Amino acid sequence: MGQFTQLQAADGQSIPAYVATPSGKPRGGIVVIQEIFGVNSHIRSVADLYAAEGYLAVAPAIFHRVKPEVELGYQPDDMTAGMALKAATEALPSPGVMQDIQAAIKHAGQAGKVGIVGFCYGGLLTWRAACNLQGLNAAVPYYGGGVTTPDEIARKPKVPVLAHFGDKDKHISVDSVEAFKKAHPEVEVHLYAADHGFNCDQRGSFNAEATKLARERTLAFFRKHVG
């Protein structure tokens, strides 16, 4: 259903993105932001699922500026490599990869209104996009690592946000989720009986029940705000 294309960021950098196109007229666009494992088979499948729901789905390779063609699995060595790539990406001079996400939003905007969804590190970038970027109509971070820290809580979203967290997530405490929720009553926050990465069926933490419910809520949210 999808294929890779090249996006151009504001600074002229070319960024690969996996683009999945719906069969009929698009309902709108969805930007899909990867975990720390690259635009791998799981992220491509997520984009394909949104295309099957009628959206033009765009998944930019957000590690491209630090290392091209990243496609990792979920073993301990992959986790270590992904964390190093995240650290290198976070260390880029501002605006860093946010301009790559902005380019993806522009591409997705060909289809109409645009939503953004991201997982793990991508969830954090999705939150930042909701607060800082142009051209979005809705944002859905899944277990965004760092979203519930004081610095990120201090941000103010410019578009409606739906946030998914797992109550067994060792990286994001329930207390910090509650603090985020209290600071942002305008954000729809859901907590699932699940671990970090529960949406990924290639990880040991996959939780089918939480995935199904979060997906239903996300699709309803995008139907309301994107189309």
Side-chain angles (χ1 to χ4, degrees), residues 71-153:
E71 183 165 348
L72 300 172
Y74 299 94
Q75 298 306 309
D77 286 353
D78 296 311
M79 186 76 70
T80 300
M83 290 300 290
L85 289 164
K86 174 188 173 183
T89 301
E90 287 286 283
L92 289 170
S94 182
V97 298
M98 299 311 293
Q99 59 193 319
D100 305 336
I101 297 171
Q102 187 69 72
I105 293 168
K106 181 180 178 182
H107 190 86
Q110 299 174 88
K113 292 182 178 180
V114 179
I116 185 169
V117 60
F119 307 86
C120 177
Y121 179 42
L124 173 60
L125 294 174
T126 292
W127 171 246
R128 290 175 180 169
C131 298
N132 296 318
L133 299 185
Q134 306 299 316
L136 285 174
N137 298 92
V140 182
Y142 275 73
Y143 34 83
V147 166
T148 61
T149 60
D151 285 352
E152 295 296 335
I153 287 177

